[in-house]
Amino acid sequence: SHAGDTSCTVTVYEYCGGGIYINGDDPVLSDLIIEDNILPDYEQTVIGDFTQYWLYSYGGGICAVDSNLSMDAVEVVSNYADQGGGIWAEGGATLTYEHGILMENEAGDGGGANLSDSSSMSVSNTNIGCNTADTDGGGIFVQDSGTSVDLTNVSMYKDVSAAGTTHGAAIYANASTTVSAINTISYTSMSAYG
């Protein structure tokens, strides 16, 4: 209640996985193209004093929640969500991504991929390029404590974190996260901070 006797209504809409949504499963995806999936922008609407609407979107291409997802030769291209334009992982999800293309995706945070809530992603022999974030992590955003990303033989190029007080055109890793990069190239990425 609000002020003791007036109801306050809060409505929340959440979209996750414009192309593929996985929750609590262990699929293997191979030889796929996940392209042109567009989820709504973040929105907050307040009507009067007691009514609010919130809208969130995660994983324009792929949303993986509490899952073990293996991907081989999967192209995640030109997708959009507010968080994780190409890929969103949460709930301790574990992703393995090989021989892929993660390209031209857009988001508020994590243009290519956004890892949250103790999730991890192992990426090898993959191109990550031309992804854009409005704020942090043009290529990859590793955001929560216990979250990690391992890169081996990865090419990251022309990822963009928009100008201003934004961070990590290629990768932005928050405190208490882990990033490992072996034989990985990052070049021509643009950000206010490296």
Side-chain angles (χ1 to χ4, degrees):
S1 68
H2 187 79
D5 59 1
T6 303
S7 293
C8 180
T9 302
V10 178
T11 304
V12 176
Y13 298 98
E14 290 186 329
Y15 296 84
C16 200
I20 295 177
Y21 174 73
I22 302 156
N23 190 340
D25 206 353
D26 304 326
V28 176
L29 306 178
S30 61
D31 299 312
L32 294 176
I33 298 173
I34 302 166
E35 185 174 15
D36 292 332
N37 297 285
I38 310 298
L39 293 180
D41 285 326
Y42 164 80
E43 183 180 336
Q44 176 193 7
T45 304
V46 177
I47 302 171
D49 293 332
F50 308 116
T51 303
Q52 298 179 13
Y53 294 92
W54 298 79
L55 188 149
Y56 302 95
S57 68
Y58 309 94
I62 298 171
C63 177
V65 180
D66 185 28
S67 300
N68 295 311
L69 170 61
S70 295
M71 297 181 287
D72 188 9
V74 174
E75 297 182 20
V76 183
V77 180
S78 299
N79 300 285
Y80 176 85
D82 179 61
Q83 300 292 304
I87 299 170
W88 168 265
E90 71 172 47
T94 302
L95 281 65
T96 303
Y97 192 16
E98 299 179 305
H99 311 111
I101 295 174
L102 184 61
M103 180 177 275
E104 297 177 356
N105 300 288
E106 296 182 34
D109 288 312
N114 191 325
L115 308 174
S116 175
D117 189 23
S118 298
S119 294
S120 64
M121 185 165 72
S122 176
V123 184
S124 61
N125 303 307
T126 293
N127 290 320
I128 300 173
C130 303
N131 298 289
T132 301
D134 293 336
T135 51
D136 298 325
I140 300 174
F141 184 31
V142 190
Q143 69 169 312
D144 296 327
S145 176
T147 304
S148 66
V149 63
D150 293 316
L151 307 172
T152 304
N153 301 329
V154 172
S155 176
M156 302 187 78
Y157 54 93
K158 294 188 178 180
D159 293 307
V160 176
S161 182
T165 58
T166 58
H167 305 86
I171 299 173
Y172 177 67
N174 247 339
S176 302
T177 62
T178 303
V179 174
S180 172
I182 300 170
N183 294 332
T184 293
I185 298 169
S186 175
Y187 67 97
T188 321
S189 295
M190 296 180 294
S191 177
Y193 298 98

